[in-house]
Amino acid sequence: MYERFFGLADAPFRLTPDPRYLFLSPKHAEALAHLKLGLRESSGFVCITGDVGTGKTTLLRAFLAGLGPETATAYIFNPPRSALELLKTINGELGLFAKTRSRKKLVDALNAHLLAQREAGRRSIVIIDEAQALSIDVLEQLRLLSNLETTTEKLLRIVLVGQPQLRALLLHPELVQLNQRITLRWHMGPLSRRETVAYMLHRLRVAAGGDPPPRIFTRPALRRTHRISRGVPRVVNMVAHRALMVAFAAERRVVNAACVRQAYREIGALPLAAAAPTSPRRTAWAAAAVGACAGVIALGVVALAWRPELHLGGASESPAPSAVMTPAEETPAPVVAVATPPPPEAEPAPPAPTADPAPPVTPADEVERRLASLDARATTRVAVGAILAAWHAEPLAADEPVDLARIAARRHLEDLPLVGNGSMLRLLDLPAILELRVPGADQPRPVALTGMSDGRAELVVDGSPTPVDAAFLDHHWFGRAHVFWRDFEALGPAFGHESHGAPVARLQALLRRIGAYDGKESGQFDPATEAAVLGFQRARFLAVDGRVGRLTRIVLYAAAGGYPRPTLGAPS
């Protein structure tokens, strides 16, 4: 869109994990060194953790791109839900037999392959991204796979990569043996200000295809981008990309701090790393202004008290003789009140009704105890019931099996299983069933999430609304969730540029409602319609593929409004 305008050959701040743009800050270089060391050694697991958006997946792609033909790789980016699925995925990635439900046959086939690989001088490595979403059963199966060994070395290298919750998960009592086998660990934090500037210049250099990088961002713009993003590379990309679009729309060849501020306002509806801190200079001016206002008010009060002809509540402009002759401190208050009654319009307005204060959050240990004491199946039924109630749908029957897809279908809803984070939940803005892990519970405890606001969330635990601090979800939710949704316009299966007919016409009407499309409702998925879909996906930070799938529809219905759907931010 703007590449040619700025003299670039490529968009420098895409959100896709392109290894060409890998920036090796000291943190990233150390993480890459751990991965390479784990490949050379065969003594245990490698565990790499990092905050959301810090570049873990990009680092993995660069690591994989550097592997030679002597290394066979099973890269699993969608965490398997069961031990059987894990084994079938690993075997499938390595080109082995996987069409069986027998774990023993799968492990035997894998072991024979690993021994043959070793005899041929080749190595095998399994890398699991988003590992914080793995269940304890799957992690235990990984530990058992590490037992495939000879007398001198492990046959399979295993790398776990995930968000900080992975570190907490590995402390579970049932994972003591696995935790002890992790010999290399590294955590990737956000970039410093200097690293953020170097990161942005590096991406501009790669996009321009040469050195030095083009001078597109001013230094104040670079500094403000760091303050807004707090050094999280993904947020840096979001802000920088939008700032380039702002400058492009204004036909500016240079992105200044004002462009970055405008970009932040445009994407401010999305949860970023943190709000930009207030400038000290601006704070000082604000304090001075407050002080000046206070001084003016104080002087005004003194002036009003000093001028006897002014009456704060009186209707007449001249005082009664008795009031003039009598010192102010000796004037009887009742006489003044009777002589100068306040007019009706001067009566103070009744105080505006205030909203009831939000209930205090429930202590984390109390919620943990309540969840641990409940039966996993019972909590599932309660969570499903809460979601159905939010949709005003038919309640769950006492003898109805808990099959989420069928439960949703019977009520003209659809079940969307996903592995995500809080940002994804806010974007979808629908109640969800979260799988929480709590101490003392051998299985995840499903709970309904019915509300989210700054710093807190509303859960339904054992049928009771339970407000919790947002940190509670950070510690106990590892990304697995189910969202019930409704395809209000009956758009049908996912479709793209090859489609035509009534669903496409309804899509065009939706896009027109939100101002993303100004063409005709022709029913043809033409280039203008595809451009509108791509623009919408890009603006909402969805997968930019031009296909109208489930996530795109959910966010599109939320943007259009007017549909009977519950939300996380307001009652249904």
Side-chain angles (χ1 to χ4, degrees), residues 94-127:
L94 296 176
L96 306 178
F97 172 74
K99 294 183 178 180
T100 179
R101 297 189 63 82
S102 169
R103 289 196 200 180
K104 183 178 185 305
K105 291 181 179 179
L106 291 168
V107 173
D108 288 346
L110 177 60
N111 187 46
H113 170 77
L114 295 176
L115 288 171
Q117 287 285 98
R118 180 179 179 276
E119 289 296 323
R122 292 192 290 268
R123 299 170 294 192
S124 298
I125 182 172
V126 172
I127 301 175

Coordinates of all heavy atoms in Angstrom, one line a residue, residues 94-127:
L94 N 7.2 -36.4 10.8 CA 8.5 -37.1 10.4 C 8.3 -38.1 9.3 O 9.2 -38.8 8.9 CB 9.1 -37.8 11.6 CG 9.5 -36.9 12.8 CD1 10.0 -37.8 14.0 CD2 10.6 -36.0 12.4
G95 N 7.1 -38.1 8.7 CA 6.8 -39.0 7.6 C 6.6 -40.4 7.9 O 6.9 -41.3 7.1
L96 N 6.2 -40.7 9.2 CA 6.1 -42.1 9.6 C 4.6 -42.5 9.7 O 3.7 -41.7 9.5 CB 6.7 -42.2 11.1 CG 8.1 -41.7 11.2 CD1 8.5 -41.8 12.7 CD2 9.0 -42.5 10.3
F97 N 4.4 -43.8 10.0 CA 3.1 -44.4 10.1 C 2.4 -43.7 11.2 O 2.9 -43.6 12.4 CB 3.3 -45.9 10.4 CG 2.0 -46.6 10.8 CD1 1.1 -46.9 9.8 CD2 1.7 -47.0 12.1 CE1 -0.1 -47.5 10.1 CE2 0.6 -47.6 12.4 CZ -0.4 -47.9 11.4
A98 N 1.1 -43.2 11.0 CA 0.4 -42.5 12.0 C -1.1 -42.9 12.0 O -1.8 -42.4 12.8 CB 0.5 -41.0 11.8
K99 N -1.5 -43.8 11.1 CA -3.0 -44.1 11.0 C -3.3 -45.3 11.9 O -3.6 -46.4 11.5 CB -3.3 -44.5 9.6 CG -3.2 -43.3 8.6 CD -3.6 -43.6 7.2 CE -3.5 -42.4 6.3 NZ -3.9 -42.7 4.9
T100 N -3.2 -45.0 13.2 CA -3.6 -46.0 14.2 C -3.9 -45.3 15.5 O -3.5 -44.1 15.7 CB -2.5 -47.0 14.5 OG1 -2.9 -48.0 15.5 CG2 -1.2 -46.3 15.0
R101 N -4.7 -45.9 16.3 CA -5.0 -45.3 17.6 C -4.3 -46.0 18.8 O -4.5 -45.8 19.9 CB -6.5 -45.4 17.9 CG -7.4 -44.6 16.9 CD -8.8 -44.6 17.3 NE -9.0 -43.9 18.6 CZ -9.0 -42.5 18.7 NH1 -8.9 -41.8 17.7 NH2 -9.2 -42.0 19.9
S102 N -3.3 -46.8 18.4 CA -2.5 -47.6 19.4 C -1.2 -46.7 19.7 O -0.4 -46.5 18.8 CB -2.1 -48.9 18.8 OG -1.1 -49.5 19.7
R103 N -1.1 -46.3 20.9 CA 0.1 -45.5 21.3 C 1.3 -46.4 21.1 O 2.4 -45.9 20.7 CB 0.0 -45.1 22.8 CG -1.1 -44.0 23.0 CD -0.8 -43.4 24.4 NE -1.9 -42.7 24.9 CZ -1.9 -42.1 26.1 NH1 -0.9 -42.1 26.8 NH2 -3.0 -41.4 26.5
K104 N 1.2 -47.6 21.5 CA 2.4 -48.5 21.4 C 2.9 -48.6 20.0 O 4.1 -48.5 19.7 CB 2.1 -49.9 21.9 CG 3.3 -50.8 22.0 CD 2.9 -52.2 22.6 CE 4.2 -53.1 22.7 NZ 4.9 -53.2 21.4
K105 N 2.0 -48.8 19.0 CA 2.5 -48.9 17.6 C 3.1 -47.6 17.2 O 4.1 -47.6 16.4 CB 1.3 -49.3 16.7 CG 0.8 -50.7 16.9 CD -0.4 -51.0 16.0 CE -0.9 -52.4 16.2 NZ -2.0 -52.7 15.3
L106 N 2.6 -46.5 17.6 CA 3.1 -45.2 17.2 C 4.5 -45.0 17.8 O 5.4 -44.5 17.1 CB 2.2 -44.1 17.6 CG 0.8 -44.0 16.9 CD1 -0.1 -43.0 17.6 CD2 1.0 -43.5 15.5
V107 N 4.7 -45.3 19.1 CA 6.0 -45.2 19.7 C 7.0 -46.1 19.1 O 8.1 -45.8 18.9 CB 5.8 -45.4 21.3 CG1 7.2 -45.4 21.9 CG2 5.0 -44.3 21.9
D108 N 6.6 -47.4 18.8 CA 7.5 -48.3 18.3 C 8.0 -47.9 16.9 O 9.2 -48.0 16.6 CB 6.8 -49.7 18.1 CG 6.6 -50.4 19.5 OD1 7.2 -49.9 20.4 OD2 5.8 -51.3 19.5
A109 N 7.1 -47.3 16.1 CA 7.5 -46.8 14.8 C 8.4 -45.6 14.9 O 9.4 -45.5 14.2 CB 6.2 -46.4 14.0
L110 N 8.2 -44.8 15.9 CA 9.0 -43.6 16.1 C 10.4 -44.1 16.6 O 11.4 -43.6 16.1 CB 8.4 -42.7 17.1 CG 9.2 -41.5 17.5 CD1 9.5 -40.6 16.3 CD2 8.5 -40.6 18.6
N111 N 10.4 -45.0 17.5 CA 11.7 -45.5 18.0 C 12.6 -46.1 16.9 O 13.8 -45.9 16.8 CB 11.5 -46.5 19.2 CG 12.7 -46.9 19.9 OD1 13.5 -46.1 20.2 ND2 12.9 -48.2 20.1
A112 N 11.9 -47.0 16.1 CA 12.7 -47.6 15.0 C 13.3 -46.5 14.0 O 14.4 -46.6 13.6 CB 11.8 -48.5 14.2
H113 N 12.5 -45.5 13.8 CA 12.9 -44.4 12.9 C 14.1 -43.7 13.5 O 15.1 -43.3 12.8 CB 11.8 -43.4 12.6 CG 12.2 -42.2 11.9 ND1 12.4 -42.1 10.6 CD2 12.4 -40.9 12.4 CE1 12.8 -40.9 10.2 NE2 12.8 -40.1 11.3
L114 N 14.0 -43.4 14.8 CA 15.1 -42.6 15.5 C 16.4 -43.4 15.5 O 17.5 -42.8 15.3 CB 14.7 -42.2 16.9 CG 13.5 -41.3 17.0 CD1 13.1 -41.1 18.5 CD2 13.8 -39.9 16.3
L115 N 16.3 -44.7 15.7 CA 17.5 -45.5 15.7 C 18.1 -45.6 14.3 O 19.4 -45.5 14.2 CB 17.1 -47.0 16.1 CG 16.8 -47.1 17.6 CD1 16.3 -48.5 17.9 CD2 18.1 -46.9 18.5
A116 N 17.3 -45.6 13.3 CA 17.8 -45.6 11.9 C 18.4 -44.3 11.6 O 19.5 -44.2 10.9 CB 16.7 -45.9 10.9
Q117 N 17.8 -43.2 12.1 CA 18.4 -41.9 11.8 C 19.8 -41.7 12.5 O 20.7 -41.2 11.9 CB 17.4 -40.8 12.4 CG 16.2 -40.6 11.6 CD 16.4 -39.8 10.3 OE1 16.6 -40.4 9.3 NE2 16.5 -38.5 10.5
R118 N 19.9 -42.3 13.7 CA 21.2 -42.2 14.4 C 22.2 -43.0 13.7 O 23.4 -42.5 13.5 CB 21.0 -42.7 15.8 CG 22.3 -42.6 16.6 CD 22.1 -43.1 18.0 NE 23.3 -43.1 18.8 CZ 24.2 -44.1 18.8 NH1 24.1 -45.1 18.0 NH2 25.3 -44.0 19.5
E119 N 21.9 -44.1 13.2 CA 22.8 -45.0 12.4 C 23.3 -44.2 11.2 O 24.5 -44.4 10.7 CB 22.2 -46.3 12.0 CG 22.0 -47.2 13.2 CD 23.3 -47.6 13.9 OE1 24.3 -47.8 13.1 OE2 23.4 -47.8 15.1
A120 N 22.4 -43.4 10.6 CA 22.8 -42.7 9.4 C 23.5 -41.4 9.7 O 23.7 -40.6 8.7 CB 21.5 -42.5 8.5
G121 N 23.7 -41.0 11.0 CA 24.3 -39.8 11.3 C 23.4 -38.6 11.3 O 23.9 -37.5 11.2
R122 N 22.1 -38.8 11.4 CA 21.2 -37.7 11.4 C 20.5 -37.6 12.8 O 20.5 -38.5 13.6 CB 20.1 -37.9 10.3 CG 20.7 -37.8 8.9 CD 19.6 -37.8 7.9 NE 18.9 -39.0 7.8 CZ 19.2 -40.0 6.9 NH1 20.2 -39.8 6.1 NH2 18.5 -41.1 6.9
R123 N 19.9 -36.4 13.0 CA 19.3 -36.1 14.3 C 17.8 -35.7 14.0 O 17.4 -35.3 13.0 CB 20.0 -34.9 14.9 CG 21.4 -35.1 15.3 CD 22.1 -33.8 15.7 NE 22.1 -32.8 14.6 CZ 22.9 -31.7 14.6 NH1 23.6 -31.4 15.7 NH2 22.9 -30.8 13.6
S124 N 17.1 -35.9 15.1 CA 15.6 -35.6 15.1 C 15.3 -34.7 16.2 O 15.7 -34.9 17.4 CB 14.8 -36.9 15.1 OG 15.0 -37.7 14.0
I125 N 14.4 -33.7 15.9 CA 14.1 -32.7 17.0 C 12.6 -32.4 16.9 O 12.0 -32.3 15.8 CB 14.9 -31.4 16.8 CG1 14.5 -30.4 17.9 CG2 14.7 -30.8 15.4 CD1 15.5 -29.2 17.9
V126 N 11.9 -32.3 18.0 CA 10.5 -31.9 18.1 C 10.4 -30.6 18.8 O 11.0 -30.4 19.9 CB 9.7 -33.0 18.9 CG1 8.3 -32.5 19.2 CG2 9.7 -34.3 18.2
I127 N 9.8 -29.6 18.1 CA 9.6 -28.3 18.6 C 8.1 -28.0 18.8 O 7.4 -28.1 17.8 CB 10.3 -27.2 17.7 CG1 11.8 -27.5 17.6 CG2 10.0 -25.8 18.3 CD1 12.4 -26.6 16.6

